[in-house]
Each structure stands twice: as C-alpha cells, then as structure tokens.
PDB file of all heavy atoms in Angstrom:
ATOM      1  N   LEU A   2     -13.565  -9.976  -9.709  1.00  0.00           N
ATOM      2  CA  LEU A   2     -14.108 -11.302  -9.420  1.00  0.00           C
ATOM      3  C   LEU A   2     -14.033 -11.588  -7.930  1.00  0.00           C
ATOM      4  O   LEU A   2     -13.203 -11.045  -7.207  1.00  0.00           O
ATOM      5  CB  LEU A   2     -13.364 -12.383 -10.210  1.00  0.00           C
ATOM      6  CG  LEU A   2     -11.914 -12.699  -9.841  1.00  0.00           C
ATOM      7  CD1 LEU A   2     -11.805 -13.710  -8.709  1.00  0.00           C
ATOM      8  CD2 LEU A   2     -11.170 -13.219 -11.050  1.00  0.00           C
ATOM      9  N   LEU A   3     -14.925 -12.469  -7.500  1.00  0.00           N
ATOM     10  CA  LEU A   3     -14.935 -12.977  -6.127  1.00  0.00           C
ATOM     11  C   LEU A   3     -15.215 -14.468  -6.196  1.00  0.00           C
ATOM     12  O   LEU A   3     -16.156 -14.890  -6.869  1.00  0.00           O
ATOM     13  CB  LEU A   3     -16.017 -12.279  -5.294  1.00  0.00           C
ATOM     14  CG  LEU A   3     -16.096 -12.691  -3.828  1.00  0.00           C
ATOM     15  CD1 LEU A   3     -15.030 -11.963  -3.026  1.00  0.00           C
ATOM     16  CD2 LEU A   3     -17.458 -12.377  -3.241  1.00  0.00           C
ATOM     17  N   PHE A   4     -14.369 -15.255  -5.523  1.00  0.00           N
ATOM     18  CA  PHE A   4     -14.517 -16.706  -5.518  1.00  0.00           C
ATOM     19  C   PHE A   4     -14.771 -17.157  -4.090  1.00  0.00           C
ATOM     20  O   PHE A   4     -14.042 -16.774  -3.167  1.00  0.00           O
ATOM     21  CB  PHE A   4     -13.262 -17.370  -6.065  1.00  0.00           C
ATOM     22  CG  PHE A   4     -13.239 -18.867  -5.901  1.00  0.00           C
ATOM     23  CD1 PHE A   4     -14.104 -19.675  -6.626  1.00  0.00           C
ATOM     24  CD2 PHE A   4     -12.359 -19.470  -5.018  1.00  0.00           C
ATOM     25  CE1 PHE A   4     -14.088 -21.057  -6.477  1.00  0.00           C
ATOM     26  CE2 PHE A   4     -12.333 -20.846  -4.864  1.00  0.00           C
ATOM     27  CZ  PHE A   4     -13.200 -21.640  -5.590  1.00  0.00           C
ATOM     28  N   ALA A   5     -15.818 -17.972  -3.878  1.00  0.00           N
ATOM     29  CA  ALA A   5     -16.184 -18.445  -2.545  1.00  0.00           C
ATOM     30  C   ALA A   5     -16.196 -19.964  -2.537  1.00  0.00           C
ATOM     31  O   ALA A   5     -16.903 -20.597  -3.327  1.00  0.00           O
ATOM     32  CB  ALA A   5     -17.553 -17.901  -2.141  1.00  0.00           C
ATOM     33  N   LEU A   6     -15.407 -20.547  -1.633  1.00  0.00           N
ATOM     34  CA  LEU A   6     -15.310 -22.001  -1.511  1.00  0.00           C
ATOM     35  C   LEU A   6     -15.770 -22.410  -0.117  1.00  0.00           C
ATOM     36  O   LEU A   6     -15.236 -21.924   0.880  1.00  0.00           O
ATOM     37  CB  LEU A   6     -13.866 -22.453  -1.725  1.00  0.00           C
ATOM     38  CG  LEU A   6     -13.613 -23.964  -1.671  1.00  0.00           C
ATOM     39  CD1 LEU A   6     -14.278 -24.645  -2.863  1.00  0.00           C
ATOM     40  CD2 LEU A   6     -12.119 -24.245  -1.659  1.00  0.00           C
ATOM     41  N   PRO A   7     -16.775 -23.291  -0.001  1.00  0.00           N
ATOM     42  CA  PRO A   7     -17.241 -23.707   1.340  1.00  0.00           C
ATOM     43  C   PRO A   7     -16.159 -24.481   2.089  1.00  0.00           C
ATOM     44  O   PRO A   7     -15.584 -25.438   1.562  1.00  0.00           O
ATOM     45  CB  PRO A   7     -18.448 -24.608   1.020  1.00  0.00           C
ATOM     46  CG  PRO A   7     -18.840 -24.277  -0.378  1.00  0.00           C
ATOM     47  CD  PRO A   7     -17.584 -23.885  -1.078  1.00  0.00           C
ATOM     48  N   LEU A   8     -15.881 -24.043   3.317  1.00  0.00           N
ATOM     49  CA  LEU A   8     -14.978 -24.787   4.194  1.00  0.00           C
ATOM     50  C   LEU A   8     -15.757 -25.764   5.058  1.00  0.00           C
ATOM     51  O   LEU A   8     -15.298 -26.862   5.340  1.00  0.00           O
ATOM     52  CB  LEU A   8     -14.181 -23.828   5.081  1.00  0.00           C
ATOM     53  CG  LEU A   8     -13.183 -22.916   4.382  1.00  0.00           C
ATOM     54  CD1 LEU A   8     -12.473 -22.042   5.398  1.00  0.00           C
ATOM     55  CD2 LEU A   8     -12.171 -23.732   3.581  1.00  0.00           C
ATOM     56  N   ASP A   9     -16.921 -25.340   5.505  1.00  0.00           N
ATOM     57  CA  ASP A   9     -17.839 -26.180   6.266  1.00  0.00           C
ATOM     58  C   ASP A   9     -19.232 -25.589   6.088  1.00  0.00           C
ATOM     59  O   ASP A   9     -19.434 -24.727   5.213  1.00  0.00           O
ATOM     60  CB  ASP A   9     -17.435 -26.257   7.752  1.00  0.00           C
ATOM     61  CG  ASP A   9     -17.258 -24.889   8.398  1.00  0.00           C
ATOM     62  OD1 ASP A   9     -18.093 -23.990   8.141  1.00  0.00           O
ATOM     63  OD2 ASP A   9     -16.302 -24.708   9.172  1.00  0.00           O
ATOM     64  N   SER A  10     -20.184 -26.036   6.883  1.00  0.00           N
ATOM     65  CA  SER A  10     -21.570 -25.577   6.706  1.00  0.00           C
ATOM     66  C   SER A  10     -21.773 -24.125   7.130  1.00  0.00           C
ATOM     67  O   SER A  10     -22.821 -23.545   6.837  1.00  0.00           O
ATOM     68  CB  SER A  10     -22.524 -26.476   7.495  1.00  0.00           C
ATOM     69  OG  SER A  10     -22.195 -26.461   8.883  1.00  0.00           O
ATOM     70  N   HIS A  11     -20.786 -23.527   7.801  1.00  0.00           N
ATOM     71  CA  HIS A  11     -20.957 -22.166   8.315  1.00  0.00           C
ATOM     72  C   HIS A  11     -19.978 -21.153   7.720  1.00  0.00           C
ATOM     73  O   HIS A  11     -20.144 -19.956   7.916  1.00  0.00           O
ATOM     74  CB  HIS A  11     -20.791 -22.150   9.839  1.00  0.00           C
ATOM     75  CG  HIS A  11     -21.689 -23.096  10.564  1.00  0.00           C
ATOM     76  ND1 HIS A  11     -23.044 -22.900  10.671  1.00  0.00           N
ATOM     77  CD2 HIS A  11     -21.423 -24.267  11.203  1.00  0.00           C
ATOM     78  CE1 HIS A  11     -23.583 -23.895  11.364  1.00  0.00           C
ATOM     79  NE2 HIS A  11     -22.616 -24.738  11.689  1.00  0.00           N
ATOM     80  N   THR A  12     -18.946 -21.606   6.990  1.00  0.00           N
ATOM     81  CA  THR A  12     -17.864 -20.712   6.600  1.00  0.00           C
ATOM     82  C   THR A  12     -17.508 -20.849   5.128  1.00  0.00           C
ATOM     83  O   THR A  12     -17.438 -21.948   4.593  1.00  0.00           O
ATOM     84  CB  THR A  12     -16.597 -20.994   7.443  1.00  0.00           C
ATOM     85  OG1 THR A  12     -16.946 -21.023   8.826  1.00  0.00           O
ATOM     86  CG2 THR A  12     -15.548 -19.920   7.215  1.00  0.00           C
ATOM     87  N   LEU A  13     -17.274 -19.706   4.496  1.00  0.00           N
ATOM     88  CA  LEU A  13     -16.794 -19.645   3.122  1.00  0.00           C
ATOM     89  C   LEU A  13     -15.402 -19.025   3.107  1.00  0.00           C
ATOM     90  O   LEU A  13     -15.168 -18.006   3.768  1.00  0.00           O
ATOM     91  CB  LEU A  13     -17.722 -18.790   2.256  1.00  0.00           C
ATOM     92  CG  LEU A  13     -19.175 -19.237   2.112  1.00  0.00           C
ATOM     93  CD1 LEU A  13     -19.982 -18.145   1.426  1.00  0.00           C
ATOM     94  CD2 LEU A  13     -19.252 -20.531   1.303  1.00  0.00           C
ATOM     95  N   GLU A  14     -14.480 -19.642   2.373  1.00  0.00           N
ATOM     96  CA  GLU A  14     -13.174 -19.016   2.148  1.00  0.00           C
ATOM     97  C   GLU A  14     -13.230 -18.307   0.815  1.00  0.00           C
ATOM     98  O   GLU A  14     -13.621 -18.894  -0.201  1.00  0.00           O
ATOM     99  CB  GLU A  14     -12.058 -20.051   2.158  1.00  0.00           C
ATOM    100  CG  GLU A  14     -10.676 -19.413   1.959  1.00  0.00           C
ATOM    101  CD  GLU A  14      -9.546 -20.404   2.119  1.00  0.00           C
ATOM    102  OE1 GLU A  14      -9.399 -20.965   3.224  1.00  0.00           O
ATOM    103  OE2 GLU A  14      -8.831 -20.639   1.128  1.00  0.00           O
ATOM    104  N   CYS A  15     -12.849 -17.031   0.806  1.00  0.00           N
ATOM    105  CA  CYS A  15     -13.036 -16.208  -0.384  1.00  0.00           C
ATOM    106  C   CYS A  15     -11.735 -15.573  -0.857  1.00  0.00           C
ATOM    107  O   CYS A  15     -10.854 -15.246  -0.059  1.00  0.00           O
ATOM    108  CB  CYS A  15     -14.056 -15.102  -0.111  1.00  0.00           C
ATOM    109  SG  CYS A  15     -15.712 -15.721   0.211  1.00  0.00           S
ATOM    110  N   MET A  16     -11.662 -15.401  -2.174  1.00  0.00           N
ATOM    111  CA  MET A  16     -10.561 -14.688  -2.803  1.00  0.00           C
ATOM    112  C   MET A  16     -11.164 -13.700  -3.788  1.00  0.00           C
ATOM    113  O   MET A  16     -12.180 -13.990  -4.429  1.00  0.00           O
ATOM    114  CB  MET A  16      -9.629 -15.667  -3.519  1.00  0.00           C
ATOM    115  CG  MET A  16      -9.083 -16.767  -2.621  1.00  0.00           C
ATOM    116  SD  MET A  16      -8.157 -18.030  -3.517  1.00  0.00           S
ATOM    117  CE  MET A  16      -6.710 -17.084  -3.972  1.00  0.00           C
ATOM    118  N   ALA A  17     -10.533 -12.540  -3.909  1.00  0.00           N
ATOM    119  CA  ALA A  17     -11.080 -11.495  -4.773  1.00  0.00           C
ATOM    120  C   ALA A  17      -9.953 -10.796  -5.523  1.00  0.00           C
ATOM    121  O   ALA A  17      -8.812 -10.744  -5.058  1.00  0.00           O
ATOM    122  CB  ALA A  17     -11.876 -10.486  -3.947  1.00  0.00           C
ATOM    123  N   LEU A  18     -10.304 -10.245  -6.680  1.00  0.00           N
ATOM    124  CA  LEU A  18      -9.320  -9.558  -7.510  1.00  0.00           C
ATOM    125  C   LEU A  18     -10.035  -8.554  -8.400  1.00  0.00           C
ATOM    126  O   LEU A  18     -11.106  -8.844  -8.933  1.00  0.00           O
ATOM    127  CB  LEU A  18      -8.569 -10.576  -8.372  1.00  0.00           C
ATOM    128  CG  LEU A  18      -7.271 -10.120  -9.054  1.00  0.00           C
ATOM    129  CD1 LEU A  18      -6.237  -9.716  -8.000  1.00  0.00           C
ATOM    130  CD2 LEU A  18      -6.718 -11.236  -9.916  1.00  0.00           C
ATOM    131  N   THR A  19      -9.430  -7.370  -8.556  1.00  0.00           N
ATOM    132  CA  THR A  19      -9.985  -6.307  -9.398  1.00  0.00           C
ATOM    133  C   THR A  19      -8.892  -5.768 -10.314  1.00  0.00           C
ATOM    134  O   THR A  19      -7.718  -5.684  -9.909  1.00  0.00           O
ATOM    135  CB  THR A  19     -10.546  -5.164  -8.535  1.00  0.00           C
ATOM    136  OG1 THR A  19     -11.608  -5.670  -7.718  1.00  0.00           O
ATOM    137  CG2 THR A  19     -11.087  -4.032  -9.391  1.00  0.00           C
ATOM    138  N   ARG A  20      -9.257  -5.433 -11.530  1.00  0.00           N
ATOM    139  CA  ARG A  20      -8.283  -4.848 -12.466  1.00  0.00           C
ATOM    140  C   ARG A  20      -7.575  -3.662 -11.818  1.00  0.00           C
ATOM    141  O   ARG A  20      -8.229  -2.813 -11.173  1.00  0.00           O
ATOM    142  CB  ARG A  20      -8.983  -4.363 -13.738  1.00  0.00           C
ATOM    143  CG  ARG A  20      -9.320  -5.438 -14.751  1.00  0.00           C
ATOM    144  CD  ARG A  20     -10.004  -4.817 -15.961  1.00  0.00           C
ATOM    145  NE  ARG A  20      -9.122  -3.862 -16.633  1.00  0.00           N
ATOM    146  CZ  ARG A  20      -8.397  -4.157 -17.720  1.00  0.00           C
ATOM    147  NH1 ARG A  20      -8.464  -5.366 -18.259  1.00  0.00           N
ATOM    148  NH2 ARG A  20      -7.631  -3.237 -18.279  1.00  0.00           N
ATOM    149  N   PRO A  21      -6.269  -3.558 -11.976  1.00  0.00           N
ATOM    150  CA  PRO A  21      -5.527  -2.460 -11.344  1.00  0.00           C
ATOM    151  C   PRO A  21      -6.042  -1.075 -11.713  1.00  0.00           C
ATOM    152  O   PRO A  21      -6.036  -0.164 -10.876  1.00  0.00           O
ATOM    153  CB  PRO A  21      -4.084  -2.674 -11.847  1.00  0.00           C
ATOM    154  CG  PRO A  21      -4.010  -4.139 -12.132  1.00  0.00           C
ATOM    155  CD  PRO A  21      -5.371  -4.524 -12.644  1.00  0.00           C
ATOM    156  N   ASP A  22      -6.502  -0.898 -12.956  1.00  0.00           N
ATOM    157  CA  ASP A  22      -6.963   0.424 -13.383  1.00  0.00           C
ATOM    158  C   ASP A  22      -8.402   0.725 -12.980  1.00  0.00           C
ATOM    159  O   ASP A  22      -8.900   1.815 -13.272  1.00  0.00           O
ATOM    160  CB  ASP A  22      -6.813   0.577 -14.900  1.00  0.00           C
ATOM    161  CG  ASP A  22      -7.594  -0.474 -15.682  1.00  0.00           C
ATOM    162  OD1 ASP A  22      -7.901  -1.539 -15.098  1.00  0.00           O
ATOM    163  OD2 ASP A  22      -7.905  -0.232 -16.866  1.00  0.00           O
ATOM    164  N   ARG A  23      -9.074  -0.228 -12.291  1.00  0.00           N
ATOM    165  CA  ARG A  23     -10.462  -0.003 -11.885  1.00  0.00           C
ATOM    166  C   ARG A  23     -10.648  -0.203 -10.375  1.00  0.00           C
ATOM    167  O   ARG A  23     -11.771  -0.421  -9.924  1.00  0.00           O
ATOM    168  CB  ARG A  23     -11.393  -0.933 -12.667  1.00  0.00           C
ATOM    169  CG  ARG A  23     -11.332  -0.751 -14.171  1.00  0.00           C
ATOM    170  CD  ARG A  23     -11.726   0.665 -14.604  1.00  0.00           C
ATOM    171  NE  ARG A  23     -13.079   0.975 -14.234  1.00  0.00           N
ATOM    172  CZ  ARG A  23     -14.130   0.788 -15.023  1.00  0.00           C
ATOM    173  NH1 ARG A  23     -13.961   0.266 -16.234  1.00  0.00           N
ATOM    174  NH2 ARG A  23     -15.331   1.124 -14.630  1.00  0.00           N
ATOM    175  N   ARG A  24      -9.586  -0.124  -9.639  1.00  0.00           N
ATOM    176  CA  ARG A  24      -9.689  -0.254  -8.197  1.00  0.00           C
ATOM    177  C   ARG A  24     -10.174   1.047  -7.570  1.00  0.00           C
ATOM    178  O   ARG A  24     -10.168   2.094  -8.181  1.00  0.00           O
ATOM    179  CB  ARG A  24      -8.329  -0.680  -7.616  1.00  0.00           C
ATOM    180  CG  ARG A  24      -7.928  -2.092  -8.061  1.00  0.00           C
ATOM    181  CD  ARG A  24      -6.521  -2.471  -7.659  1.00  0.00           C
ATOM    182  NE  ARG A  24      -6.193  -3.814  -8.135  1.00  0.00           N
ATOM    183  CZ  ARG A  24      -4.997  -4.380  -8.036  1.00  0.00           C
ATOM    184  NH1 ARG A  24      -4.005  -3.713  -7.468  1.00  0.00           N
ATOM    185  NH2 ARG A  24      -4.789  -5.602  -8.511  1.00  0.00           N
ATOM    186  N   LYS A  25     -10.613   0.954  -6.327  1.00  0.00           N
ATOM    187  CA  LYS A  25     -11.141   2.098  -5.567  1.00  0.00           C
ATOM    188  C   LYS A  25     -12.411   2.659  -6.188  1.00  0.00           C
ATOM    189  O   LYS A  25     -12.724   3.837  -6.025  1.00  0.00           O
ATOM    190  CB  LYS A  25     -10.080   3.190  -5.406  1.00  0.00           C
ATOM    191  CG  LYS A  25      -8.834   2.728  -4.664  1.00  0.00           C
ATOM    192  CD  LYS A  25      -7.831   3.863  -4.472  1.00  0.00           C
ATOM    193  CE  LYS A  25      -6.598   3.374  -3.727  1.00  0.00           C
ATOM    194  NZ  LYS A  25      -5.612   4.454  -3.503  1.00  0.00           N
ATOM    195  N   GLU A  26     -13.158   1.799  -6.903  1.00  0.00           N
ATOM    196  CA  GLU A  26     -14.450   2.205  -7.474  1.00  0.00           C
ATOM    197  C   GLU A  26     -15.608   1.473  -6.809  1.00  0.00           C
ATOM    198  O   GLU A  26     -16.745   1.607  -7.239  1.00  0.00           O
ATOM    199  CB  GLU A  26     -14.479   1.944  -8.986  1.00  0.00           C
ATOM    200  CG  GLU A  26     -13.478   2.760  -9.782  1.00  0.00           C
ATOM    201  CD  GLU A  26     -13.586   2.514 -11.284  1.00  0.00           C
ATOM    202  OE1 GLU A  26     -14.623   1.957 -11.713  1.00  0.00           O
ATOM    203  OE2 GLU A  26     -12.655   2.876 -12.016  1.00  0.00           O
ATOM    204  N   GLY A  27     -15.325   0.697  -5.771  1.00  0.00           N
ATOM    205  CA  GLY A  27     -16.380  -0.021  -5.063  1.00  0.00           C
ATOM    206  C   GLY A  27     -16.815  -1.317  -5.735  1.00  0.00           C
ATOM    207  O   GLY A  27     -17.854  -1.885  -5.370  1.00  0.00           O
ATOM    208  N   LEU A  28     -16.026  -1.831  -6.687  1.00  0.00           N
ATOM    209  CA  LEU A  28     -16.420  -3.044  -7.395  1.00  0.00           C
ATOM    210  C   LEU A  28     -16.380  -4.261  -6.475  1.00  0.00           C
ATOM    211  O   LEU A  28     -17.285  -5.100  -6.504  1.00  0.00           O
ATOM    212  CB  LEU A  28     -15.504  -3.270  -8.607  1.00  0.00           C
ATOM    213  CG  LEU A  28     -15.413  -2.109  -9.612  1.00  0.00           C
ATOM    214  CD1 LEU A  28     -14.539  -2.509 -10.786  1.00  0.00           C
ATOM    215  CD2 LEU A  28     -16.806  -1.702 -10.087  1.00  0.00           C
ATOM    216  N   PHE A  29     -15.338  -4.356  -5.663  1.00  0.00           N
ATOM    217  CA  PHE A  29     -15.245  -5.466  -4.715  1.00  0.00           C
ATOM    218  C   PHE A  29     -16.401  -5.436  -3.724  1.00  0.00           C
ATOM    219  O   PHE A  29     -16.980  -6.483  -3.393  1.00  0.00           O
ATOM    220  CB  PHE A  29     -13.908  -5.405  -3.972  1.00  0.00           C
ATOM    221  CG  PHE A  29     -13.862  -6.256  -2.738  1.00  0.00           C
ATOM    222  CD1 PHE A  29     -13.847  -7.645  -2.826  1.00  0.00           C
ATOM    223  CD2 PHE A  29     -13.841  -5.678  -1.478  1.00  0.00           C
ATOM    224  CE1 PHE A  29     -13.804  -8.439  -1.686  1.00  0.00           C
ATOM    225  CE2 PHE A  29     -13.800  -6.457  -0.342  1.00  0.00           C
ATOM    226  CZ  PHE A  29     -13.783  -7.840  -0.439  1.00  0.00           C
ATOM    227  N   VAL A  30     -16.771  -4.265  -3.262  1.00  0.00           N
ATOM    228  CA  VAL A  30     -17.880  -4.146  -2.313  1.00  0.00           C
ATOM    229  C   VAL A  30     -19.182  -4.629  -2.941  1.00  0.00           C
ATOM    230  O   VAL A  30     -20.005  -5.277  -2.266  1.00  0.00           O
ATOM    231  CB  VAL A  30     -18.011  -2.689  -1.817  1.00  0.00           C
ATOM    232  CG1 VAL A  30     -19.253  -2.522  -0.945  1.00  0.00           C
ATOM    233  CG2 VAL A  30     -16.774  -2.279  -1.039  1.00  0.00           C
ATOM    234  N   ARG A  31     -19.372  -4.359  -4.224  1.00  0.00           N
ATOM    235  CA  ARG A  31     -20.568  -4.845  -4.913  1.00  0.00           C
ATOM    236  C   ARG A  31     -20.600  -6.368  -4.960  1.00  0.00           C
ATOM    237  O   ARG A  31     -21.635  -6.995  -4.729  1.00  0.00           O
ATOM    238  CB  ARG A  31     -20.616  -4.285  -6.338  1.00  0.00           C
ATOM    239  CG  ARG A  31     -21.015  -2.816  -6.443  1.00  0.00           C
ATOM    240  CD  ARG A  31     -21.244  -2.434  -7.887  1.00  0.00           C
ATOM    241  NE  ARG A  31     -22.275  -3.262  -8.511  1.00  0.00           N
ATOM    242  CZ  ARG A  31     -22.531  -3.280  -9.821  1.00  0.00           C
ATOM    243  NH1 ARG A  31     -21.809  -2.525 -10.637  1.00  0.00           N
ATOM    244  NH2 ARG A  31     -23.488  -4.052 -10.305  1.00  0.00           N
ATOM    245  N   LEU A  32     -19.444  -6.972  -5.262  1.00  0.00           N
ATOM    246  CA  LEU A  32     -19.382  -8.430  -5.309  1.00  0.00           C
ATOM    247  C   LEU A  32     -19.588  -9.027  -3.921  1.00  0.00           C
ATOM    248  O   LEU A  32     -20.265 -10.044  -3.779  1.00  0.00           O
ATOM    249  CB  LEU A  32     -18.035  -8.869  -5.874  1.00  0.00           C
ATOM    250  CG  LEU A  32     -17.773  -8.521  -7.340  1.00  0.00           C
ATOM    251  CD1 LEU A  32     -16.371  -8.956  -7.746  1.00  0.00           C
ATOM    252  CD2 LEU A  32     -18.804  -9.181  -8.247  1.00  0.00           C
ATOM    253  N   LEU A  33     -19.021  -8.398  -2.913  1.00  0.00           N
ATOM    254  CA  LEU A  33     -19.184  -8.887  -1.548  1.00  0.00           C
ATOM    255  C   LEU A  33     -20.647  -8.815  -1.124  1.00  0.00           C
ATOM    256  O   LEU A  33     -21.160  -9.728  -0.465  1.00  0.00           O
ATOM    257  CB  LEU A  33     -18.308  -8.063  -0.595  1.00  0.00           C
ATOM    258  CG  LEU A  33     -18.255  -8.519   0.860  1.00  0.00           C
ATOM    259  CD1 LEU A  33     -17.759  -9.948   0.972  1.00  0.00           C
ATOM    260  CD2 LEU A  33     -17.355  -7.588   1.666  1.00  0.00           C
ATOM    261  N   ALA A  34     -21.330  -7.763  -1.525  1.00  0.00           N
ATOM    262  CA  ALA A  34     -22.756  -7.640  -1.212  1.00  0.00           C
ATOM    263  C   ALA A  34     -23.563  -8.718  -1.926  1.00  0.00           C
ATOM    264  O   ALA A  34     -24.510  -9.279  -1.360  1.00  0.00           O
ATOM    265  CB  ALA A  34     -23.254  -6.248  -1.610  1.00  0.00           C
ATOM    266  N   ALA A  35     -23.174  -9.047  -3.156  1.00  0.00           N
ATOM    267  CA  ALA A  35     -23.861 -10.106  -3.895  1.00  0.00           C
ATOM    268  C   ALA A  35     -23.672 -11.454  -3.207  1.00  0.00           C
ATOM    269  O   ALA A  35     -24.604 -12.259  -3.105  1.00  0.00           O
ATOM    270  CB  ALA A  35     -23.343 -10.160  -5.326  1.00  0.00           C
TER     271      ALA A  35
END
C-alpha cells in the first residue's frame, strides 16, 4: 500500500508498506509510479 496526504498545493506526505514475504519484488515502485 501507499498512502498520500496533501501537505500543501505542491507537496504530498507519503507512507508505504509491503508484506514482509513479498518485498524486493518492485511492488512499492509500482505504487510510486501510479
């Protein structure tokens, strides 16, 4: 998952988390690209 919260009109504060057994598979990068 990736969560994005607007701080102002130009910036998003984001938090991300991936299942421990599915890390290093590029899942976070896919969400970041989205």
Side-chain angles (χ1 to χ4, degrees):
L2 69 85
L3 182 81
F4 171 69
L6 182 68
L8 293 180
D9 53 42
S10 59
H11 305 289
T12 310
L13 299 170
E14 181 174 298
C15 295
M16 304 173 70
L18 195 62
T19 298
R20 281 180 62 98
D22 59 338
R23 301 300 298 267
R24 294 172 181 174
K25 300 183 180 181
E26 296 183 16
L28 305 183
F29 164 70
V30 174
R31 285 189 58 191
L32 294 177
L33 185 58

